[in-house]
Amino acid sequence: MPLSVDARWDLIDKISKQTVEFGARKHTLKDAIAELTVKPLTGIPVAIAVIYGFWSFFCDFAGTLFTDGFMVRLFDEHWLPWLQSVFPGGLKNPFYALMVDAGHIEGGVLVASDNCFEAFGVLTSGFFVVFGVVLWAVLAFYLMFAILEDAGYLPRLAVLVDTVLHKIGLHGYAIVPTFLSLGCNVPGVTATRPLETRKQRFMMMTLLAIFVPCGAQIGIMQDLVPEMMGWIFLTLAIGYLGFGFILNKIVPGKSPELIMDVPPYQMPTLRNIVRKLWIRTSRFLIVAVPFVLLGSIIVGLMYLTGAMDWLAAVLGPLLMGWFGVPSETVAPLIAGFLRKDLAVGILGGLMEQGIMTTFQVFTSVILLCIYFPCLATFALMLKEENGKEILGSLASLVAMVFVYGGLIHLVGIMLGVA
Amino acid sequence: MKILLMGHPNVGKSVFFNRLTGAKVLESNYPGTTVDFMKGWMRLEGEDVELIDVPGAFSLEPKDRAEEVAVKMLAENKDSVIVCVLDASKIERGLYLALEIIEKGYPAVVALNMWDVAEDKNIRIDVEKLERILGVPVVPTTAISGEGFKELVSKIKEAAPVKIEKIIESAGGRESAAVS
Amino acid sequence: MEKKLSEMDFDEEGTVKEIEENLKKQVAGMGIREGKNVRMATKQPIKGPVVVEVDKSFTSLGLGIADKIVVEVE
Ligand SMILES: Nc1nc2c(ncn2[C@@H]2O[C@H](COP(=O)(O)OP(=O)(O)O)[C@@H](O)[C@H]2O)c(=O)[nH]1
Ligand SMILES: [Mg+2]
């Protein structure tokens, strides 16, 4: 027969008195570090340093070393010209356009592309996005994340941010799914499970799907518009907190307070890190590669058949009028249903053609983040929560996209940059 | 028969699992959730027995989805032996969960893991006496080096259900430990 | 002197005197219970959570929860 809580503790006290002897407690260096990282006075600077280190590593390792230093050259100077020379057909051949290079109009004539962002082909842009940029970004991200996770830093971060997140009805623990989503939203959605109530999980998933760009997307953005990254993150963070605040007011349910174990720091083991890195990266590739390739085929076909121009004409007034972005943005928005990284890549192609102002690029990048989760994330959300909640999530998403997208446009108009 | 590894998060359950199981392991999804758990097989006296790495739980009073799954898995496997993995350096709160499991009538073995950490912290535990009081096998282990594993495996067969009243008695009477 | 856990100062130690009945089960798994020694390991500003040490393990509790625990301090 089960005991009451008090009776059970009484029993444990008795057992412990007879069998356990606690020696003198030593305050070790590890204890001191453990406390320094949760105390606000020292913890917040440490957290900023950790995140800054994370970001520098992400940019230097993935962006500068692999993508710029090696992959861009490999793809633009070898892979693209080689395909252009050996692939059957030519610039005006539809299959060639789909697979290799759609070309673009310069001074009234169709000319070949000279980089993989512009080419729009499955084998060029599609491959470049996955293997040239995104893979390295995701790998760098997961390496850093696994180290922080295994060292036991994440619960400390959760304690530090609980103050803020509690105000929008979430736990400090919500930082873990948020952070993980910056790698890929799919495991991020999975990581919402330690949140205690349906309300918290629903809010978290909705916020993740809308405001947290994945590593693939960040990698591409960092490659295309490095100077804008600060503004992009700021805009998304404001949206995350602001929209979270509103959701907290309108979503029924409880937001219980934090009760969380803060485990001791541990030396991460190489074996564990390598294992996690392998599992997460291979899962990422399984999700990403088919969708990126499929997405490039669909977008390519829509261009070839004229469907894209038709959609651009139909949606153009809305896009231009409400959000202030040109009708060509339709193409990346379509691709974004499948993969955000591919979508930003297509946006990069449009940028290179010089048809967008800086502010329009900025707005488009934000819109791409927030207008819909990618297909893999959406499918997982469907599996995770019941249909009614997903409908609620979608409804709030649509409302939010219009409000926030319009707001950004408005701010742009007021600042005179739109 | 199945063997369930249960305990708080971060006590070394997964290291146990990896050491005890062979090459064939499965990562499964608890139906209707995204909570993953690992399932594998271990050799026990010439037989292949299923071993499950149950998601970490602090108590059988679930606070979140992972804990819910742990409680459900326990309820669905009435005929299993539970290996309660405790952090020896935090033995009291570990015993809380172990007692909850024993109270439900499951045959249990208590692994006092992180024995090395407890030694470093100057915590001394009288294993024999603890075993006498609880009436279930208690084995000190250090999962990362594999110390104590042989003994642990050999004692799984000895696990049998124990009445909580008997534990109260062996601990020295029931005056304050009233059954609710 | 008795006070709420949430009112303890940084690094102050005390003994848990009383835990609100329906909270008991929730914190039991963390080893927090009546009669135990607690130390305030960290307090976050602006109504943030606290981190307390019980039996050498650390647990973070929201302020609203720390309000429901009474401690006896010197
Ligand atoms: N020092 C020491 N560390 C251990 C021991 N067992 C496990 N660990 C470490 O404790 C951490 C948590 O172990 P893990 O198996 O993931 O815990 P789980 O959450 O219970 O599955 C890992 O870093 C292990 O390497 C042990 O006996 N001694
Ligand atoms: Mg584990």
Side-chain angles (χ1 to χ4, degrees):
Chain A
M1 205 209 284
L3 301 175
S4 71
V5 179
D6 288 336
R8 194 175 294 124
W9 277 131
D10 280 348
L11 178 56
I12 291 168
D13 274 340
K14 274 191 192 149
I15 298 175
S16 162
K17 275 206 190 88
Q18 299 173 54
T19 57
V20 190
E21 216 182 294
F22 294 96
R25 177 175 145 225
K26 281 177 294 183
H27 208 72
T28 61
L29 180 66
K30 214 164 108 179
D31 295 333
I33 296 174
E35 283 190 14
L36 282 183
T37 47
V38 283
K39 269 186 217 162
L41 200 64
T42 40
I44 292 167
V46 169
I48 291 171
V50 166
I51 289 165
Y52 180 77
F54 200 108
W55 178 244
S56 315
F57 179 79
F58 182 83
C59 296
D60 292 346
F61 172 84
T64 312
L65 191 68
F66 275 91
T67 301
D68 295 345
F70 186 64
M71 288 297 160
V72 170
R73 242 173 275 161
L74 179 72
F75 274 86
D76 288 353
E77 288 168 23
H78 300 284
W79 179 243
L80 178 68
W82 180 73
L83 274 178
Q84 283 168 331
S85 67
V86 300
F87 205 85
L91 259 188
K92 292 209 169 86
N93 178 309
F95 188 62
Y96 175 87
L98 189 61
M99 298 310 284
V100 180
D101 182 10
H104 59 277
I105 311 286
E106 232 176 80
V109 275
L110 188 65
V111 296
S113 309
D114 54 15
N115 68 61
C116 280
F117 270 130
E118 274 181 325
F120 282 165
V122 174
L123 297 177
T124 49
S125 302
F127 271 50
F128 175 64
V129 164
V130 181
F131 297 106
V133 185
V134 163
L135 176 63
W136 310 105
V138 169
L139 204 62
F141 179 89
Y142 281 145
L143 176 63
M144 298 293 286
F145 191 85
I147 293 173
L148 288 187
E149 193 181 18
D150 279 22
Y153 182 67
L154 297 180
R156 270 106 190 150
L157 195 59
V159 172
L160 284 176
V161 298
D162 184 72
T163 314
V164 175
L165 291 179
H166 191 68
K167 306 255 176 331
I168 62 166
L170 290 170
H171 267 174
Y173 189 84
I175 197 68
V176 175
T178 304
F179 202 161
L180 192 55
S181 287
L182 288 168
C184 173
N185 284 358
V186 171
V189 168
T190 311
T192 57
R193 66 180 189 232
L195 293 170
E196 291 169 30
T197 59
R198 293 198 84 88
K199 171 181 176 170
Q200 289 184 316
R201 283 198 297 273
F202 168 81
M203 280 184 59
M204 191 73 250
M205 270 182 218
T206 310
L207 290 179
L208 284 188
I210 303 178
F211 289 107
V212 184
C214 67
Q217 204 177 347
I218 299 172
I220 291 268
M221 293 193 298
Q222 167 66 16
D223 198 46
L224 274 177
V225 287
E227 71 287 349
M228 273 185 208
M229 292 312 278
W231 290 109
I232 292 170
F233 278 120
L234 184 68
T235 311
L236 292 173
I238 291 172
Y240 178 99
L241 293 174
F243 196 56
F245 186 82
I246 297 169
L247 272 184
N248 184 31
K249 295 273 185 260
I250 57 177
V251 178
K254 277 198 224 137
S255 302
E257 293 208 46
L258 186 73
I259 301 181
M260 186 182 65
D261 187 47
V262 183
Y265 276 116
Q266 230 137 22
M267 198 60 202
T269 59
L270 187 66
R271 205 169 132 245
N272 222 1
I273 303 257
V274 170
R275 217 191 70 216
K276 278 188 183 164
L277 205 56
W278 164 247
I279 293 176
R280 288 188 174 142
T281 309
S282 56
R283 278 195 188 157
F284 164 79
L285 284 176
I286 290 169
V287 175
V289 174
F291 281 133
V292 168
L293 298 186
L294 184 68
S296 355
I297 292 176
I298 291 175
V299 171
L301 282 176
M302 286 180 70
Y303 269 122
L304 285 173
T305 55
M308 199 64 89
D309 292 334
W310 180 80
L311 260 182
V314 173
L315 295 176
L318 173 71
L319 288 173
M320 194 62 217
W322 187 263
F323 299 109
V325 295
S327 59
E328 282 87 349
T329 322
V330 161
L333 285 173
I334 295 281
F337 278 107
L338 288 160
R339 284 295 302 180
K340 299 291 177 98
D341 43 5
L342 177 69
V344 182
I346 294 176
L347 194 65
L350 297 175
M351 259 174 70
E352 309 250 323
Q353 295 173 20
I355 56 170
M356 287 182 156
T357 66
T358 312
F359 191 72
Q360 284 175 334
V361 171
F362 173 76
T363 314
S364 313
V365 167
I366 298 286
L367 271 185
L368 274 182
C369 282
I370 66 180
Y371 83 106
F372 199 80
C374 74
L375 194 63
T377 307
F378 186 64
L380 185 66
M381 285 169 70
L382 273 181
K383 213 174 102 188
E384 182 71 3
E385 295 294 332
N386 60 41
K388 208 177 106 210
E389 279 172 13
I390 297 302
L391 275 183
S393 191
L394 282 184
S396 37
L397 188 145
V398 170
M400 195 280 321
V401 169
F402 275 90
V403 173
Y404 206 50
L407 207 60
I408 291 170
H409 188 196
L410 191 69
V411 170
I413 291 172
M414 288 188 333
L415 294 177
V417 288
Chain B
M1 187 183 107
K2 279 184 197 169
I3 299 172
L4 267 53
L5 286 169
M6 290 191 72
H8 291 183
N10 279 312
V11 292
K13 293 181 299 301
S14 299
V15 182
F16 264 70
F17 180 84
N18 291 333
R19 279 195 176 264
L20 291 173
T21 49
K24 204 173 118 199
V25 297
L26 274 175
E27 188 171 8
S28 314
N29 213 252
Y30 193 80
T33 70
T34 41
V35 180
D36 310 318
F37 64 91
M38 301 290 284
K39 196 169 153 176
W41 283 265
M42 68 179 279
R43 267 334 255 174
L44 195 63
E45 294 176 4
E47 251 183 285
D48 272 335
V49 193
E50 196 177 314
L51 183 71
I52 300 178
D53 185 4
V54 177
F58 281 102
S59 73
L60 298 184
E61 205 65 49
K63 281 205 317 296
D64 59 47
R65 281 221 163 161
E67 295 197 343
E68 250 167 53
V69 166
V71 173
K72 278 188 192 156
M73 288 175 94
L74 186 67
E76 282 165 15
N77 293 288
K78 291 274 184 226
D79 62 337
S80 41
V81 173
I82 317 296
V83 175
C84 299
V85 186
L86 270 56
D87 178 342
S89 71
K90 296 174 180 174
I91 182 165
E92 293 188 1
R93 68 180 204 179
L95 278 175
Y96 187 89
L97 177 67
L99 281 180
E100 279 191 303
I101 292 169
I102 292 172
E103 283 165 37
K104 285 195 182 292
Y106 288 89
V109 178
V110 171
L112 295 176
N113 195 39
M114 305 257 182
W115 191 253
D116 55 329
V117 179
E119 279 182 334
D120 279 351
K121 288 193 178 166
N122 255 326
I123 299 171
R124 278 179 294 275
I125 302 170
D126 186 341
V127 177
E128 274 170 36
K129 189 152 191 192
L130 185 58
E131 196 169 64
R132 261 202 318 273
I133 295 177
L134 292 176
V136 303
V138 178
V139 186
T141 59
T142 299
I144 43 174
S145 66
E147 234 163 297
F149 272 58
K150 257 204 189 128
E151 197 189 343
L152 180 84
V153 171
S154 74
K155 293 213 167 161
I156 289 178
K157 286 264 158 162
E158 289 174 26
V162 183
K163 284 248 171 336
I164 192 73
E165 288 80 5
K166 235 182 129 191
I167 299 179
I168 295 173
E169 208 137 307
S170 345
R174 53 168 59 244
E175 65 279 21
S176 57
V179 174
S180 69
Chain C
M1 189 183 69
E2 272 183 23
K3 55 164 113 167
K4 288 180 186 167
L5 179 62
S6 54
E7 294 163 350
M8 280 173 85
D9 294 320
F10 166 66
D11 211 25
E12 193 176 9
E13 291 194 38
T15 311
V16 179
K17 202 61 199 289
E18 206 183 322
I19 303 176
E20 221 180 79
E21 204 54 42
N22 49 16
L23 186 64
K24 270 186 190 168
K25 276 184 183 168
Q26 289 183 57
V27 294
M30 308 293 182
I32 298 174
R33 63 183 199 263
E34 290 165 5
K36 269 284 147 183
N37 192 273
V38 282
R39 188 177 72 87
M40 178 63 68
T42 341
K43 286 186 93 162
Q44 306 285 328
I46 42 175
K47 302 208 168 151
V50 300
V51 179
V52 295
E53 181 182 354
V54 172
D55 276 347
K56 298 189 175 84
S57 31
F58 294 85
T59 305
S60 178
L61 301 171
L63 207 64
I65 289 186
D67 268 340
K68 296 178 184 165
I69 299 176
V70 179
V71 288
E72 173 81 40
V73 294
E74 293 287 293

